């Protein structure tokens, strides 16, 4: 499995991960659940009205963390906004519960992909495994 697919599979498995952004000199973290590989990129989804979106616009560097009971993932990188309607539609198709709140054609739905990403899988049992994409 390619690195990006391995990371997305882990995020799908845990269902909830925690996304940290930078807000001036203050870290901010919140639960997220969206993840999609599309066109060879790993996307997440949010709403442009949210503080998290504004923080990413001001500073695209983020890190997320997820734990499946055995291994944990830290994924650091930069997020790039993508206004391609097809990606937004694919994201909402993968996570249909979002269709209650979002549509590919509203002014709010935002998908972003990871650039310069470093994913590290950790466990107490083995040395860390680092992947980049
Ligand atoms: C399990 C879970 C998954 C979530 N997934 C997302 C998500 O993928 N995208 C999103 O924008 N908000 C998601 N949320 C909601 C955000 O955590 C919430 O809107 C948060 O306040 C956004 O951060 P902010 O207040 O800094 O803007 C999720 C919440 C929960 C409880």
């Amino acid at each position: 499995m390619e690195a990006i697919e391995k990371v997305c599979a882990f995020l799908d498995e845990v269902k909830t991960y925690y996304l940290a952004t930078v807000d001036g000199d203050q870290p901010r973290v919140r639960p997220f659940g969206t993840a999609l590989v599309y066109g060879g990129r790993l996307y997440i989804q949010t709403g442009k009205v949210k503080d998290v979106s504004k923080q990413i616009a001001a500073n695209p560097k983020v890190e997320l963390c997820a734990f499946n009971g055995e291994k944990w993932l830290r994924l650091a990188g930069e997020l790039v906004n993508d206004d391609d309607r097809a990606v937004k539609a694919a994201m909402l198709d993968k996570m249909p519960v979002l269709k209650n709140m979002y549509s590919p054609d509203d002014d709010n739905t935002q998908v972003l992909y990871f650039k310069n990403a470093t994913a590290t899988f950790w466990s107490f049992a083995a040395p860390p495994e680092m992947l980049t994409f």
Side-chain angles (χ1 to χ4, degrees):
M1 206 190 289
E2 270 189 60
I4 201 164
E5 279 157 5
K6 189 169 173 176
V7 169
C8 193
F10 192 86
L11 296 176
D12 288 343
E13 177 194 340
V14 298
K15 296 195 168 53
T16 305
Y17 58 88
Y18 297 88
L19 177 71
T21 51
V22 178
D23 181 12
D25 71 348
Q26 177 64 55
R28 305 281 182 195
V29 65
R30 76 284 290 157
F32 258 51
T34 49
L36 171 74
V37 175
Y38 187 99
R41 292 167 169 165
L42 177 64
Y43 285 86
I44 66 167
Q45 182 275 344
T46 191
K48 289 182 181 172
V49 298
K50 293 192 183 190
D51 289 347
V52 57
S53 173
K54 292 170 190 153
Q55 287 154 19
I56 294 164
N59 183 343
K61 286 190 178 173
V62 300
E63 183 160 298
L64 67 78
C65 186
F67 178 57
N68 75 351
E70 180 191 344
K71 290 191 288 183
W72 60 103
L73 165 69
R74 295 169 83 183
L75 172 61
E78 291 161 52
L79 286 176
V80 181
N81 177 67
D82 189 344
D83 283 319
D84 182 355
R85 187 190 185 281
V87 195
K88 295 180 185 181
M91 179 66 84
L92 300 186
D93 282 345
K94 180 174 175 185
M95 313 219 155
V97 67
L98 295 176
K99 290 180 180 175
N100 298 327
M101 286 177 287
Y102 297 99
S103 110
D105 300 307
D106 65 26
D107 291 333
N108 184 36
T109 302
Q110 181 176 36
V111 290
L112 309 109
Y113 65 87
F114 272 90
K115 181 174 97 171
N116 299 328
T118 301
T120 313
F121 287 96
W122 303 79
S123 82
F124 291 118
E129 178 193 3
M130 193 187 287
L131 308 167
T132 57
F133 57 88

